[in-house]
Amino acid sequence: MTKLPSKRKTTAEIYQLIRNKITSFEMFPGDRVTEHELADLFEVSRTPVREALKRLEVEGFVSVRPKHGCFIRDFDIVELAEYYDIRIALEQLAVEHACESMPDKLVKQAMEAWDPARHDDDMARGIDLSVKDEAFHIGLAEGAQKPMLADMLRSINNRIRIIRRLDINADNRSLRTYREHFEVLQHILNRDAGKAKLAIKRHILRSRDFAKTLTLTALAQKKAQIRAGNTR
Amino acid sequence: MTKLPSKRKTTAEIYQLIRNKITSFEMFPGDRVTEHELADLFEVSRTPVREALKRLEVEGFVSVRPKHGCFIRDFDIVELAEYYDIRIALEQLAVEHACESMPDKLVKQAMEAWDPARHDDDMARGIDLSVKDEAFHIGLAEGAQKPMLADMLRSINNRIRIIRRLDINADNRSLRTYREHFEVLQHILNRDAGKAKLAIKRHILRSRDFAKTLTLTALAQKKAQIRAGNTR
DNA sequence: CGATGCAGTGTTGTATACAAGCGGTGCATG
DNA sequence: CATGCACCGCTTGTATACAACACTGCATCG
C-alpha cells in the first residue's frame, strides 16, 4: 500500500483497490457508492471505475441499480455453505480424473510441497498459506487436465473469498491442512479414486465448518466495532 | 430480426446482436473484429459495444487482445465433453438436494409439464424445446433451493450453447427427453436419491453424445459451405 | 543479405461532455 | 391536513475526443 505519487491508474488496479476496500470491510455490505465518488477517490475518470464495477458485479461483490447507485452486496452464511457443497462435488470430480490421468511426477511434486514435515519450515518462512492452499485445489484440476473445471473452481474461490474475508494463515489449522492434502495426494498416487474422493470431501467439509465460525466471529466483531465508534 | 428504423440501441441489445452473430456462424471462430466496426455496424458509439464485448469475454464468446483487436474464440470438442462432465457432477448434487427439500407440489408441476403424453401436443404447438429443457435442469436446482447452484448451471449452459450452436428442436430425440425427465422426477417424488442421481447422469450422458455428433456435423457442414463460396 | 531501428497506422485505454431517467422535495390544491 | 403533481438534483447511460501502445513495413547499417 505504498502511495507512489499518484501515477495514472489502470482499470485492473482500480478493480483491485475497490475489491480490497470491500473485503477489508472498509466498505460495508449495504453501503452505497457512486462512480463519481470512486473516480474522485482514486483520481481517475469514471470510465475505468465503471469497468471495474462491471467486473465486480459479475463476480458478485457489488450490485448496481440502474440510475440509482452501486451497492456493496450483502451475503449470508447459507450461501457460503452452498458454495462449499458445490466445491465438494467439483473437487471430487477433479480428484477422480486426477486418479486417472495426473502424471506421477506432478503428484509427487505436490506431495513434496505438502509434506507435513515441511510445515514448520514453511511457516517460519512466512509462506502465504491461503495462496498455497488455493494452488493445491486448482492444481488437482489442472493436473487432471481439466482446464474448464479449474476455471470454475477459481471463480468459486473468488466468491467464497468475498464471504470468508479472513486469511487462513493465522490459525492453528495449518498443520492439519498439510496432513489432509498429503493424504489426498497419497490416494491419488495409489490411483484409489474411492479413498481420494472421500478424503477430499472430508477435507472440504472441515474447511467449511472452520470458515463458517471464523466468518461469523469476524463479522460480529466488525459490527461491534462499527456500533461502538459510529464515525460515519 | 425486424429492422425498425434504427432507434437508439442499448448495451443489452448490442450484446444480444453480437452474440447472435457468433452463434449463428455469421462470425466465425478466429475472425477478428474491432470495436469501431461493430459500432459502425450497429450505429452506436464504441462505449456500449465495448461493454457488450467485455461481457461476451467473461462468458467465453470472444477474447480481446489488448490494443490489438477482438477475436471470436475457437472451441474444441474436448472442452464440450468437460462441461458435460461438470454438469453431471452439479446436477447430481442438485437432484440429491431436490430429493431432500423440493416440495411435492413443485415436483408434480414439473411432472405434468414433462408427461410424455404431452409430447405430441407440445410439438404441435411449437414449444421451444431447448428453452423448456434448460428450464427443467435449472428448475431442479431452484426447486432444491440452491440459487447459487442454479446460477452456476446457467453459466455452464451459456458456455455449452457457444459450442453446441444448434437447437435441440428439430431432432428425433425429443420424446426421449420427455421420458428421461419424467423418470428423474418420479425418483425425486419417491425421494430415492440413488436412482434419481443415476437417471440424471444417464440423461446427461446421452445428451452429451448427441450434442457431440450434432456439433461435429454442423461444424463440418459450415466449413464446407465456407470453403465452397469463399467470399471473404 | 540479414538484422535492427524507427516511424506510421490502427487499435484499445482513458477522459470528458452530454443525455436521459428516477427519486425526492416542496408547493399548490382539494 | 392529505394528496397529487411538477420540478430539480443526482446518478447512470452514451457519445466523442484524446492518449498510449503494439504491430507492420521499410529503410538503413553491419
PDB file of all heavy atoms in Angstrom, chain A residues 45-63:
ATOM      1  N   SER A  45     -10.826   8.916 -14.113  1.00  0.00           N
ATOM      2  CA  SER A  45     -12.131   9.284 -14.642  1.00  0.00           C
ATOM      3  C   SER A  45     -13.136   8.188 -14.324  1.00  0.00           C
ATOM      4  O   SER A  45     -12.791   7.137 -13.795  1.00  0.00           O
ATOM      5  CB  SER A  45     -12.064   9.486 -16.144  1.00  0.00           C
ATOM      6  OG  SER A  45     -12.176   8.257 -16.807  1.00  0.00           O
ATOM      7  N   ARG A  46     -14.378   8.424 -14.652  1.00  0.00           N
ATOM      8  CA  ARG A  46     -15.401   7.433 -14.345  1.00  0.00           C
ATOM      9  C   ARG A  46     -15.224   6.160 -15.180  1.00  0.00           C
ATOM     10  O   ARG A  46     -15.642   5.079 -14.755  1.00  0.00           O
ATOM     11  CB  ARG A  46     -16.788   8.016 -14.610  1.00  0.00           C
ATOM     12  CG  ARG A  46     -17.397   8.740 -13.426  1.00  0.00           C
ATOM     13  CD  ARG A  46     -18.765   9.266 -13.767  1.00  0.00           C
ATOM     14  NE  ARG A  46     -19.634   8.252 -14.290  1.00  0.00           N
ATOM     15  CZ  ARG A  46     -20.480   8.410 -15.297  1.00  0.00           C
ATOM     16  NH1 ARG A  46     -20.567   9.582 -15.900  1.00  0.00           N
ATOM     17  NH2 ARG A  46     -21.230   7.432 -15.705  1.00  0.00           N
ATOM     18  N   THR A  47     -14.613   6.275 -16.349  1.00  0.00           N
ATOM     19  CA  THR A  47     -14.550   5.125 -17.250  1.00  0.00           C
ATOM     20  C   THR A  47     -13.922   3.882 -16.615  1.00  0.00           C
ATOM     21  O   THR A  47     -14.560   2.831 -16.589  1.00  0.00           O
ATOM     22  CB  THR A  47     -13.833   5.498 -18.548  1.00  0.00           C
ATOM     23  OG1 THR A  47     -14.373   6.720 -19.036  1.00  0.00           O
ATOM     24  CG2 THR A  47     -13.987   4.428 -19.579  1.00  0.00           C
ATOM     25  N   PRO A  48     -12.691   3.965 -16.119  1.00  0.00           N
ATOM     26  CA  PRO A  48     -12.126   2.743 -15.531  1.00  0.00           C
ATOM     27  C   PRO A  48     -12.872   2.286 -14.284  1.00  0.00           C
ATOM     28  O   PRO A  48     -13.012   1.085 -14.062  1.00  0.00           O
ATOM     29  CB  PRO A  48     -10.693   3.145 -15.178  1.00  0.00           C
ATOM     30  CG  PRO A  48     -10.647   4.604 -15.240  1.00  0.00           C
ATOM     31  CD  PRO A  48     -11.740   5.071 -16.114  1.00  0.00           C
ATOM     32  N   VAL A  49     -13.388   3.230 -13.521  1.00  0.00           N
ATOM     33  CA  VAL A  49     -14.185   2.853 -12.353  1.00  0.00           C
ATOM     34  C   VAL A  49     -15.379   2.027 -12.790  1.00  0.00           C
ATOM     35  O   VAL A  49     -15.697   0.977 -12.229  1.00  0.00           O
ATOM     36  CB  VAL A  49     -14.664   4.104 -11.597  1.00  0.00           C
ATOM     37  CG1 VAL A  49     -15.674   3.724 -10.528  1.00  0.00           C
ATOM     38  CG2 VAL A  49     -13.490   4.829 -10.977  1.00  0.00           C
ATOM     39  N   ARG A  50     -16.016   2.512 -13.817  1.00  0.00           N
ATOM     40  CA  ARG A  50     -17.195   1.839 -14.349  1.00  0.00           C
ATOM     41  C   ARG A  50     -16.871   0.417 -14.782  1.00  0.00           C
ATOM     42  O   ARG A  50     -17.596  -0.523 -14.447  1.00  0.00           O
ATOM     43  CB  ARG A  50     -17.666   2.650 -15.546  1.00  0.00           C
ATOM     44  CG  ARG A  50     -19.092   2.530 -15.876  1.00  0.00           C
ATOM     45  CD  ARG A  50     -19.431   3.445 -17.042  1.00  0.00           C
ATOM     46  NE  ARG A  50     -20.532   2.894 -17.752  1.00  0.00           N
ATOM     47  CZ  ARG A  50     -21.749   2.822 -17.248  1.00  0.00           C
ATOM     48  NH1 ARG A  50     -21.972   3.280 -16.046  1.00  0.00           N
ATOM     49  NH2 ARG A  50     -22.715   2.280 -17.930  1.00  0.00           N
ATOM     50  N   GLU A  51     -15.768   0.259 -15.490  1.00  0.00           N
ATOM     51  CA  GLU A  51     -15.405  -1.076 -15.947  1.00  0.00           C
ATOM     52  C   GLU A  51     -15.094  -1.986 -14.772  1.00  0.00           C
ATOM     53  O   GLU A  51     -15.470  -3.158 -14.751  1.00  0.00           O
ATOM     54  CB  GLU A  51     -14.202  -0.993 -16.893  1.00  0.00           C
ATOM     55  CG  GLU A  51     -14.489  -0.159 -18.127  1.00  0.00           C
ATOM     56  CD  GLU A  51     -13.676  -0.600 -19.326  1.00  0.00           C
ATOM     57  OE1 GLU A  51     -12.781  -1.435 -19.152  1.00  0.00           O
ATOM     58  OE2 GLU A  51     -13.951  -0.112 -20.437  1.00  0.00           O
ATOM     59  N   ALA A  52     -14.406  -1.423 -13.792  1.00  0.00           N
ATOM     60  CA  ALA A  52     -14.083  -2.217 -12.605  1.00  0.00           C
ATOM     61  C   ALA A  52     -15.365  -2.658 -11.907  1.00  0.00           C
ATOM     62  O   ALA A  52     -15.501  -3.813 -11.504  1.00  0.00           O
ATOM     63  CB  ALA A  52     -13.204  -1.403 -11.665  1.00  0.00           C
ATOM     64  N   LEU A  53     -16.316  -1.744 -11.787  1.00  0.00           N
ATOM     65  CA  LEU A  53     -17.572  -2.078 -11.114  1.00  0.00           C
ATOM     66  C   LEU A  53     -18.331  -3.163 -11.876  1.00  0.00           C
ATOM     67  O   LEU A  53     -18.915  -4.063 -11.278  1.00  0.00           O
ATOM     68  CB  LEU A  53     -18.446  -0.830 -10.972  1.00  0.00           C
ATOM     69  CG  LEU A  53     -18.024   0.148  -9.894  1.00  0.00           C
ATOM     70  CD1 LEU A  53     -18.895   1.382  -9.917  1.00  0.00           C
ATOM     71  CD2 LEU A  53     -18.066  -0.499  -8.520  1.00  0.00           C
ATOM     72  N   LYS A  54     -18.306  -3.062 -13.201  1.00  0.00           N
ATOM     73  CA  LYS A  54     -18.958  -4.090 -14.008  1.00  0.00           C
ATOM     74  C   LYS A  54     -18.395  -5.461 -13.667  1.00  0.00           C
ATOM     75  O   LYS A  54     -19.127  -6.428 -13.491  1.00  0.00           O
ATOM     76  CB  LYS A  54     -18.740  -3.794 -15.490  1.00  0.00           C
ATOM     77  CG  LYS A  54     -19.845  -2.952 -16.106  1.00  0.00           C
ATOM     78  CD  LYS A  54     -20.895  -3.830 -16.751  1.00  0.00           C
ATOM     79  CE  LYS A  54     -22.289  -3.236 -16.749  1.00  0.00           C
ATOM     80  NZ  LYS A  54     -22.379  -1.891 -17.249  1.00  0.00           N
ATOM     81  N   ARG A  55     -17.085  -5.505 -13.575  1.00  0.00           N
ATOM     82  CA  ARG A  55     -16.441  -6.782 -13.281  1.00  0.00           C
ATOM     83  C   ARG A  55     -16.798  -7.253 -11.876  1.00  0.00           C
ATOM     84  O   ARG A  55     -17.115  -8.413 -11.657  1.00  0.00           O
ATOM     85  CB  ARG A  55     -14.927  -6.613 -13.418  1.00  0.00           C
ATOM     86  CG  ARG A  55     -14.202  -7.915 -13.463  1.00  0.00           C
ATOM     87  CD  ARG A  55     -12.767  -7.747 -13.871  1.00  0.00           C
ATOM     88  NE  ARG A  55     -11.940  -8.779 -13.257  1.00  0.00           N
ATOM     89  CZ  ARG A  55     -10.631  -8.733 -13.210  1.00  0.00           C
ATOM     90  NH1 ARG A  55      -9.994  -7.694 -13.719  1.00  0.00           N
ATOM     91  NH2 ARG A  55      -9.941  -9.700 -12.662  1.00  0.00           N
ATOM     92  N   LEU A  56     -16.754  -6.320 -10.943  1.00  0.00           N
ATOM     93  CA  LEU A  56     -17.089  -6.666  -9.568  1.00  0.00           C
ATOM     94  C   LEU A  56     -18.534  -7.133  -9.473  1.00  0.00           C
ATOM     95  O   LEU A  56     -18.875  -7.933  -8.610  1.00  0.00           O
ATOM     96  CB  LEU A  56     -16.855  -5.459  -8.656  1.00  0.00           C
ATOM     97  CG  LEU A  56     -15.394  -5.122  -8.411  1.00  0.00           C
ATOM     98  CD1 LEU A  56     -15.253  -3.730  -7.847  1.00  0.00           C
ATOM     99  CD2 LEU A  56     -14.754  -6.134  -7.484  1.00  0.00           C
ATOM    100  N   GLU A  57     -19.363  -6.621 -10.367  1.00  0.00           N
ATOM    101  CA  GLU A  57     -20.764  -7.021 -10.337  1.00  0.00           C
ATOM    102  C   GLU A  57     -20.923  -8.477 -10.764  1.00  0.00           C
ATOM    103  O   GLU A  57     -21.595  -9.245 -10.079  1.00  0.00           O
ATOM    104  CB  GLU A  57     -21.597  -6.111 -11.250  1.00  0.00           C
ATOM    105  CG  GLU A  57     -23.079  -6.350 -11.080  1.00  0.00           C
ATOM    106  CD  GLU A  57     -23.913  -5.490 -12.008  1.00  0.00           C
ATOM    107  OE1 GLU A  57     -23.364  -4.979 -12.992  1.00  0.00           O
ATOM    108  OE2 GLU A  57     -25.114  -5.339 -11.743  1.00  0.00           O
ATOM    109  N   VAL A  58     -20.270  -8.848 -11.883  1.00  0.00           N
ATOM    110  CA  VAL A  58     -20.422 -10.234 -12.324  1.00  0.00           C
ATOM    111  C   VAL A  58     -19.797 -11.185 -11.304  1.00  0.00           C
ATOM    112  O   VAL A  58     -20.207 -12.328 -11.195  1.00  0.00           O
ATOM    113  CB  VAL A  58     -19.820 -10.501 -13.726  1.00  0.00           C
ATOM    114  CG1 VAL A  58     -20.262  -9.461 -14.702  1.00  0.00           C
ATOM    115  CG2 VAL A  58     -18.315 -10.603 -13.687  1.00  0.00           C
ATOM    116  N   GLU A  59     -18.830 -10.704 -10.559  1.00  0.00           N
ATOM    117  CA  GLU A  59     -18.207 -11.566  -9.558  1.00  0.00           C
ATOM    118  C   GLU A  59     -18.978 -11.559  -8.245  1.00  0.00           C
ATOM    119  O   GLU A  59     -18.594 -12.225  -7.293  1.00  0.00           O
ATOM    120  CB  GLU A  59     -16.763 -11.150  -9.327  1.00  0.00           C
ATOM    121  CG  GLU A  59     -15.883 -11.467 -10.519  1.00  0.00           C
ATOM    122  CD  GLU A  59     -14.447 -11.040 -10.315  1.00  0.00           C
ATOM    123  OE1 GLU A  59     -14.126 -10.573  -9.213  1.00  0.00           O
ATOM    124  OE2 GLU A  59     -13.662 -11.168 -11.252  1.00  0.00           O
ATOM    125  N   GLY A  60     -20.020 -10.750  -8.185  1.00  0.00           N
ATOM    126  CA  GLY A  60     -20.899 -10.803  -7.032  1.00  0.00           C
ATOM    127  C   GLY A  60     -20.522  -9.902  -5.869  1.00  0.00           C
ATOM    128  O   GLY A  60     -21.107  -9.988  -4.799  1.00  0.00           O
ATOM    129  N   PHE A  61     -19.552  -9.019  -6.058  1.00  0.00           N
ATOM    130  CA  PHE A  61     -19.145  -8.142  -4.962  1.00  0.00           C
ATOM    131  C   PHE A  61     -20.125  -6.996  -4.760  1.00  0.00           C
ATOM    132  O   PHE A  61     -20.401  -6.602  -3.646  1.00  0.00           O
ATOM    133  CB  PHE A  61     -17.756  -7.559  -5.219  1.00  0.00           C
ATOM    134  CG  PHE A  61     -16.648  -8.510  -5.003  1.00  0.00           C
ATOM    135  CD1 PHE A  61     -16.238  -9.355  -6.012  1.00  0.00           C
ATOM    136  CD2 PHE A  61     -16.009  -8.577  -3.783  1.00  0.00           C
ATOM    137  CE1 PHE A  61     -15.211 -10.254  -5.809  1.00  0.00           C
ATOM    138  CE2 PHE A  61     -14.975  -9.457  -3.574  1.00  0.00           C
ATOM    139  CZ  PHE A  61     -14.578 -10.308  -4.589  1.00  0.00           C
ATOM    140  N   VAL A  62     -20.587  -6.441  -5.863  1.00  0.00           N
ATOM    141  CA  VAL A  62     -21.499  -5.306  -5.761  1.00  0.00           C
ATOM    142  C   VAL A  62     -22.690  -5.561  -6.673  1.00  0.00           C
ATOM    143  O   VAL A  62     -22.680  -6.466  -7.493  1.00  0.00           O
ATOM    144  CB  VAL A  62     -20.814  -4.002  -6.220  1.00  0.00           C
ATOM    145  CG1 VAL A  62     -19.547  -3.751  -5.448  1.00  0.00           C
ATOM    146  CG2 VAL A  62     -20.535  -4.031  -7.706  1.00  0.00           C
ATOM    147  N   SER A  63     -23.724  -4.761  -6.487  1.00  0.00           N
ATOM    148  CA  SER A  63     -24.807  -4.805  -7.458  1.00  0.00           C
ATOM    149  C   SER A  63     -25.154  -3.369  -7.792  1.00  0.00           C
ATOM    150  O   SER A  63     -25.292  -2.537  -6.898  1.00  0.00           O
ATOM    151  CB  SER A  63     -26.013  -5.544  -6.885  1.00  0.00           C
ATOM    152  OG  SER A  63     -26.751  -4.704  -6.043  1.00  0.00           O
TER     153      SER A  63
END
